[in-house]
Amino acid sequence: MATPSDAQRMEKIVSLCKRRGFIFQSSEIYGGLNGAWDYGPLGVELKRNLKNYWWRVMVHERDDVVGMDGAILTHPAVLKASGHVEGFSDPMIDCRTCKAHLRADQLVEKNGVQQCPNCGGKELTEARQFNLMFETHVGAAAEESSVAYLRPETAQSIFVQFKNILEVSRKKLPFGIAQIGKAFRNEINPRNFTFRSREFEQMELEYFCRPEQGMNLLEYWKEERLKFYENIGIPREKLHVLTVPDEERAFYSKGTYDIEYDFPFGRQELEGVAYRTDYDLSQHQKASAKSLDYFDEETKEKIIPHVVEPSAGVDRTVLAMICEAYAEDQAPNDKGEMESRIVLRFHPRMAPIKCAVFPLLKNKEPLVTKAKEIVALLRPQMTVFYDESGAIGRRYRRQDETGTPFCVTVDFETLGEKDPVLCDTVTLRDRDSMKQERVEIRKLTAILRERIR
Ligand code: ATP
């Protein structure tokens, strides 16, 4: 159960996200569309940094993984074979008092009686299965033969393209196919900000292997994924590995871990790492009557590869990064008095803006010119923000709130007016320690690049 202070913390995070342009309610001016979110100028940078880093470590830095980008509109046969048309559903219960639609596991129990979490009503319907897929129609005629689905996960297009990708990439087992993209689920009750949305993005890897490698690779990928979260600034002690018990695992899975994070609203799943055996490829081979096997040149045998799947949510990870980064502490203002500040302590590699550049005064032309030269120098290498308005302390504070790890200030020393030795040096201020160091402009790019990589 979240304590009141956790609830307050979450409220502050949601309001900061809106105020600073990370995340807005979708269609807000029309009252909002439940379960859909729009990312603003800073949110989109954060999200891109996350996806790019995932792609870098999961695809570019590996020899055994290739990428793909599949269509969102999906042939119904694909989702029939995968089991989604029949079974991708949640049990739904209606409250007869307030008419809310509820997921069966969201009911609250008081004195042994189940109640509606919204109004406390005890008049509840029986549970019925509610399919979470969004159905649509392709082409002009809205008839049964035109049905298509918005994909509920990215994985299925990987399985369906397995043979094509195997042939063109000429990879040998074990190898993986990675994809990042949108997925859609008509969640009964979207909630906890972006945590449970109806439209969201996934980062999925299907790592194909021989049957005897499956269990070891499940352990391997769990560890790799834990390292990943640490490398984007989520400390190990806030991450938890849940071994999904036999009775809750998909029937075809031989082992599944959920990687969970301590959100302010409770411990919740960020990613599932599942050993799915040969279920998906076998199902598609059967249903399509096309071979999806792998010919092993050493043993001269054909096998259906098994697969281990680390499947992460982009939006949930972005939310975890924001929750983890949010802090309130004390910082000195321009008069040296301590003031409270809000700071987002993003890992520099994830921060939306890497460096802000300020001229000490905006009405001193040489300071402004120099600062703009520095912006031009850094811009090809990283995201930069130029700000000349207000006192320096206020400018720092604005950057702290958006999580910018470094601020560069051009002052009179930069112009060589005080000490020729300091000519063409600037102050470089660190967001977390608030320490300032004097660095030469010619070394600035290299110093920052090293710190944000
Ligand atoms: P949950 O139990 O929370 O509904 P799940 O176990 O159904 O999640 P998976 O099918 O394993 O989720 O999907 C893999 C990942 O996709 C999840 O770990 C999560 O990060 C992300 N994801 C799934 N559903 C949503 C959603 N409705 N909103 C945001 N992200 C989601």
Side-chain angles (χ1 to χ4, degrees), residues 214-215 218 243-258 272-280 306-309:
M215 288 311 277
L218 177 67
T243 306
V244 179
D246 292 354
E247 61 280 10
E248 287 174 29
R249 232 167 37 216
F251 69 90
Y252 48 78
S253 170
K254 281 204 179 156
T256 302
Y257 293 118
D258 284 349
V273 185
Y275 173 23
R276 298 172 70 114
T277 64
D278 60 353
Y279 173 76
D280 303 273
H306 280 217
V307 73
V308 174
E309 173 198 78

Side-chain angles (χ1 to χ4, degrees), residues 19 57 91 122 177 234 388 420 427 437:
R19 184 156 43 88
V57 299
K122 296 182 194 102
I177 304 175
I234 300 183
E388 57 179 27
T427 61
E437 54 185 315

